[in-house]
Amino acid sequence: MMQHQYTLLFHPLYPLALIPEISKNSVNPNTIFANNEMSLDNIEIYGFDYDYTLAFYSRRLHTLIFNIARDILIQEHRYPEGLQEYEYTPDFVIRGLHYDVQKALLMKIDAFHYIQLGTVYRGLHPVPDKEVIAMYDGSHVPLENMSDFYGKSSHGHTMKQYMDIFSLPEMNLLCCVNDYFMKHNIDYEPVHLYKDVKAAIGDVHVKGILYRNYISYGEQTHAVLKKLYEDGKKMFLITNSPFDFVDRGMNYIVGTEWRELFDIVIVQADKPGFFNDRRKPFRRVTDKGVLHWDRIHKLEKGNIYKQGNLYEFLRLTGWRGSKVLYFGDHIYSDLADLTLKHGWRTGAIIPELRKEVKIMNTKEYVHLMTWLQGLTGLIEHMQVHRDPASQAVVQEWIKEREAMRSQTKNIFNAQFGSLFRTYHNPTYFSRRLSRFADIYMASLSCLLNYDFQHTFFPRRTPLQHESPFWPEQTSAGQLSQSAYADTQPGKP
């Protein structure tokens, strides 16, 4: 009788019956998602980072950065000419990965410091799970070995976390050079390799590539800034980029009058140091890069300021607390200190979000996840039956579950899976995102879908010890499939 019940469960239509009604609705990728309740009605001042917040770039820029950095390694660091055979692979890595500097391993780690087995790479090839477990005495990475607060490998930390989008070419290059050395049986010091690749990538940015030629779009950014300006909101820009670089890009995105939209413009801010180091004063700089020596008593509209620090910024402007909303793409360098120390509201720009949401809207993904959840529930409830026949079926379910988990991972990225999940657990990236960002979205253009009285509410999902008595919620901005379709280009 028990075996007959199992047979019914494996009927090909059974998974379809498990799909809840809500799965027929799709999530609008242009939604703004909330980790913390926040009302735009309370926001008077809007601040922005520049790269990947106001300006977005095409993938061709990453290829260019990779190629130039690779050539710097060969020409200036005397690395083998054979590295020329390697080219940038756009979909090989994802953001948020950890790199073990001493072991030369790239991997994905979850919110509980566990390595996601199957996502550990040495060079361009995966490391077998047994080897990973042997190297780390399991799959857990102790806190003292993790990256520091800003994701860096310093002060004894052996891990580096790659959090910004510009790090994708760097991870690619690290993997390629590691692969070359292993392929040719070249003995090398992983720490030196890491530092050399980091220096080469840094040199690319210092050389001042004309990133403006690679800006993929800017009209929506202009529309957002114009909407805020016309509503009387104060706006400021704090970026680590130099003024001439920002000026060229903003001239392209907004026009030559872009500075009229901003009340304060600060360049070469040296974030995250800008948020913590009280010693650096502001310095006024002209359009031509000429530095002034006068003491700054007021941050005036129309002027350009260099360096400085947030404490002086707060003293001169009085822009404190939850009336300020700052947007950036780097969770650590842009957002962490602002929310933890200064009480500003924060918005994370996550360009990868749009692609991931679209994948999650597909029938393949909904079907996979529904059956995976159903299968997990079956295993959980049936594991108490200890007779051989029941245990044999449970073991088959466990094997099927493992195969489906890998299949689900591969839908997002064949090597590392989703930016936001390691199988069922949130990634380390997700953990930091939920802690340091009040809201997050794919791009600033998402703001165009809301008025300035809108309140963002996080979905209340049951804690593990709570019963889900209330129906599953969807965010107000999450539209049904038909409503989402109506927002697409070409719809009246």
Side-chain angles (χ1 to χ4, degrees):
M1 179 65 179
M2 181 73 72
Q3 187 64 45
H4 178 64
Q5 290 174 344
Y6 295 155
T7 304
L8 288 176
L9 290 173
F10 280 110
H11 189 281
L13 294 180
Y14 183 74
L16 298 179
L18 293 175
I19 298 178
E21 188 70 22
I22 194 170
S23 70
K24 296 178 181 179
N25 296 327
S26 294
V27 176
N28 185 348
N30 296 315
T31 297
I32 294 178
F33 303 93
N35 292 318
N36 192 19
E37 185 175 327
M38 190 191 78
S39 176
L40 292 181
D41 195 36
N42 298 327
I43 306 299
E44 301 172 11
I45 304 134
Y46 287 76
F48 305 92
D49 180 36
Y50 177 68
D51 292 306
Y52 286 104
T53 299
L54 295 177
F56 283 78
Y57 304 96
S58 70
R59 283 190 169 189
R60 292 185 298 113
L61 176 59
H62 291 171
T63 300
L64 180 65
I65 293 173
F66 176 93
N67 290 341
I68 295 177
R70 178 199 60 202
D71 295 344
I72 290 174
L73 287 178
I74 295 170
Q75 297 164 11
E76 300 181 18
H77 295 268
R78 297 185 301 162
Y79 275 65
E81 292 280 347
L83 289 175
Q84 289 283 359
E85 69 187 53
Y86 289 91
E87 296 181 351
Y88 180 68
T89 307
D91 295 318
F92 181 69
V93 297
I94 62 173
R95 192 154 55 121
L97 300 178
H98 281 80
Y99 183 76
D100 190 322
V101 175
Q102 296 180 344
K103 293 183 175 66
L105 297 176
L106 189 65
M107 66 192 74
K108 190 165 76 167
I109 295 178
D110 74 10
F112 302 96
H113 297 191
Y114 282 91
I115 300 167
Q116 182 178 359
L117 297 177
T119 69
V120 181
Y121 274 72
R122 181 185 290 117
L124 299 174
H125 302 282
V127 180
D129 293 348
K130 288 184 178 180
E131 187 176 340
V132 173
I133 292 170
M135 283 190 289
Y136 290 95
D137 292 325
S139 59
H140 184 263
V141 180
L143 178 63
E144 60 267 22
N145 294 342
M146 292 292 290
S147 52
D148 67 11
F149 181 77
Y150 297 106
K152 299 178 181 178
S153 59
S154 60
H155 307 296
H157 299 278
T158 60
M159 292 282 189
K160 154 76 176 179
Q161 188 180 19
Y162 288 100
M163 293 296 283
D164 73 321
I165 301 173
F166 278 131
S167 65
L168 298 178
E170 183 174 349
M171 286 187 281
N172 254 277
L173 187 56
L174 271 171
C175 290
C176 289
V177 180
N178 275 312
D179 183 75
Y180 181 89
F181 284 161
M182 290 187 299
K183 187 183 295 183
H184 294 84
N185 296 314
I186 298 173
D187 188 27
Y188 69 101
E189 172 53 61
V191 175
H192 297 333
L193 169 59
Y194 164 75
K195 290 182 177 179
D196 289 345
V197 170
K198 179 181 178 181
I201 292 289
D203 287 346
V204 175
H205 296 300
V206 170
K207 289 178 184 296
I209 300 171
L210 290 177
Y211 287 11
R212 177 176 62 84
N213 297 333
Y214 296 88
I215 292 177
S216 57
Y217 61 86
E219 290 182 5
Q220 293 173 314
T221 296
H222 186 191
V224 171
L225 296 176
K226 183 179 178 182
K227 180 180 179 180
L228 292 169
Y229 179 80
E230 291 177 348
D231 201 69
K233 304 297 184 182
K234 299 286 187 181
M235 288 187 286
F236 64 93
L237 173 66
I238 301 178
T239 175
N240 287 349
S241 298
F243 174 72
D244 59 343
F245 173 80
V246 174
D247 189 47
R248 287 196 298 266
M250 291 298 286
N251 284 340
Y252 175 78
I253 296 170
V254 178
T256 57
E257 306 302 320
W258 68 269
R259 285 163 60 185
E260 294 182 4
L261 298 174
F262 291 89
D263 295 272
I264 298 172
V265 175
I266 299 168
V267 298
Q268 292 176 272
D270 191 28
K271 296 176 293 182
F274 179 87
F275 301 128
N276 297 290
D277 190 347
R278 299 171 182 261
R279 296 170 297 175
K280 292 183 179 179
F282 285 107
R283 191 165 191 179
R284 191 157 56 92
V285 57
T286 69
D287 296 2
K288 304 300 181 182
V290 177
L291 297 172
H292 286 257
W293 48 262
D294 54 318
R295 186 189 298 270
I296 303 300
H297 296 283
K298 184 179 180 182
L299 298 176
E300 298 178 328
K301 185 171 183 174
N303 288 338
I304 306 299
Y305 300 95
K306 178 182 176 182
Q307 294 182 342
N309 65 83
L310 184 64
Y311 296 93
E312 190 68 2
F313 180 91
L314 296 176
R315 186 184 71 83
L316 294 173
T317 63
W319 294 350
R320 300 176 182 274
S322 57
K323 65 181 179 181
V324 184
L325 172 59
Y326 185 81
F327 292 96
D329 69 292
H330 198 300
I331 297 171
Y332 298 152
S333 296
D334 288 327
L335 308 180
D337 289 307
L338 292 177
T339 189
L340 290 178
K341 299 178 181 179
H342 303 286
W344 284 9
R345 308 311 294 263
T346 52
I349 304 299
I350 314 293
E352 302 95 333
L353 186 62
R354 185 169 279 117
K355 176 184 176 182
E356 293 222 3
V357 168
K358 288 181 178 179
I359 289 173
M360 290 187 291
N361 284 339
T362 62
K363 291 182 179 179
E364 177 188 10
Y365 181 82
V366 172
H367 185 94
L368 261 176
M369 286 305 302
T370 303
W371 180 230
L372 183 58
Q373 289 297 94
L375 196 58
T376 302
L378 289 172
I379 294 170
E380 181 180 12
H381 287 91
M382 296 304 298
Q383 63 182 330
V384 298
H385 297 279
R386 299 302 179 184
D387 60 281
S390 297
Q391 283 299 304
V393 173
V394 169
Q395 289 304 313
E396 287 299 315
W397 286 345
I398 290 173
K399 291 179 183 179
E400 182 181 356
R401 179 174 181 264
E402 288 302 309
M404 292 185 69
R405 276 153 56 107
S406 295
Q407 188 178 351
T408 304
K409 173 182 80 74
N410 294 341
I411 290 178
F412 294 97
N413 177 278
Q415 292 73 234
F416 300 101
S418 167
L419 174 64
F420 302 97
R421 280 199 181 275
T422 54
Y423 295 139
H424 56 285
N425 283 342
T427 60
Y428 195 82
F429 178 93
S430 287
R431 175 187 176 185
R432 306 302 249 184
L433 174 65
S434 63
R435 179 66 183 90
F436 300 140
D438 291 295
I439 57 175
Y440 63 99
M441 65 208 77
S443 74
L444 279 177
S445 63
C446 299
L447 278 171
L448 297 173
N449 300 323
Y450 303 86
D451 61 35
F452 294 125
Q453 286 74 48
H454 190 89
T455 298
F456 298 102
F457 296 96
R459 280 187 288 174
R460 175 161 181 160
T461 53
L463 300 175
Q464 293 300 311
H465 66 278
E466 294 177 329
S467 295
F469 291 126
W470 51 88
E472 193 68 31
Q473 295 171 253
T474 57
S475 295
Q478 296 182 9
L479 307 180
S480 66
Q481 181 65 43
S482 59
Y484 169 48
D486 290 340
T487 68
Q488 299 309 292
K491 293 289 182 180

